[in-house]
Amino acid sequence: MQTPYVLNHKAGINGLGAGVWNLGPGGDPFGGPTREAIPMIDRLPLLAEAGMSFYEAHDHEIPASDADKAKKRADECGLKCGMYTPSFFADSVFKDGGMTSNDAAVRKLALENAKRAVDTTVQLGASVMVFWNGREGFDFIMAKNGRDSFKRLIEGFNAVGQYSKEKYGDKVRFGLEPKPNEPRANMYLANVGEGLYLISRLDSDIQHLFGMNPETAHSRIAGLDYVWDIELCLEAGKLFHIHLNAQDGQRYDQDLPFGYTEPLKDMALCMVLQDAQYEGIICFDVKAPRTDDPKNIQDVLHVSAKNLTWLWNRALEVDRKKIEQLRADNRATAIAGYLAECLYGC
Ligand code: 3MF
Ligand code: MG
């Protein structure tokens, strides 16, 4: 049993989190599972054992009907719910999205599910609900009217925000998780900028309830810089949650262990979070690879957490004044060298 991982001098909430879906059976689009599927609720003690303090789940993994059972099990193993999220992608009824489906009955169902998920978020004790854009998008041009789709997203989020505000005040905050593609060829809310723009179009009395949940790999599969995405969210006061992982270039979404591919940029990310005194939960969205044996299913969490704590500690030691001076002297290359020195100790 690993004692819970904590980050030195982290502002606000400490401890790390991960999704129950991170410990999946290893299926991919080309082949079935390679491990026996572990029942969702039994994944909670596994997350705790691996040093996590928070768990996250979708509504198809821990439905409202299982919320009491999940809460009890989580309490027993000292885990808290970090975030809950309605899935608009798993059920075939959402094959063309939820809020942006061309079918009014599907849009209605999506809203009902989202409102129910708000209730479950509160029941599980989480204060953040995430919307991942999932199947909100299109594969064929003109299959949807993009302007109507955007208006439908505004209407949908307004309705969910108003529901939550009336019932729970400011208790639940919503994090939009952008992704550029996969499973759709083109997704609405593809990047942080689109998400922030959407928030700016929401009803003014609920805008403060909406922010972002940027994920490392989602920025990197679009070739975007994740550190800048995070800086933009912070500048907007909208970094409500964070999903950390790694991505090996612009290819399919890999959900690799955090810190694996771009450690220098990940150390810089830690600096940005430290300097902004980010108070929210830090969660991994990583995938136990299908080649790992069942007994090693938690390796992906340990590797992510160890890489993060290492990089976080290196970041604490970076001399901010020195960076400022190098910026003033127009020495960008020297900054890169100094960061490498801090990382590699050379
Ligand atoms: C997909 C994801 C999702 C989201 C989740 C809610 C399955 O690329 O990252 O995980 O993280 O739906 O946040
Ligand atoms: Mg994610």
Side-chain angles (χ1 to χ4, degrees), residues 24-28 33-35 287-294 296-297:
D28 72 13
T34 55
R35 294 179 290 259
K287 186 158 59 192
R290 93 193 276 277
T291 43
D292 275 359
D293 293 336
N296 301 322
I297 197 168

Side-chain angles (χ1 to χ4, degrees), residues 21 132 177 213 215 218 243 245 255 285:
W21 66 92
W132 170 50
E177 181 176 322
N213 175 37
E215 175 165 325
H218 294 183
H243 267 181
N245 54 21
D255 294 332
D285 189 354

Side-chain angles (χ1 to χ4, degrees), residues 10-26:
K10 157 100 175 50
I13 306 170
N14 214 320
L16 304 175
V20 290
W21 66 92
N22 292 185
L23 303 179

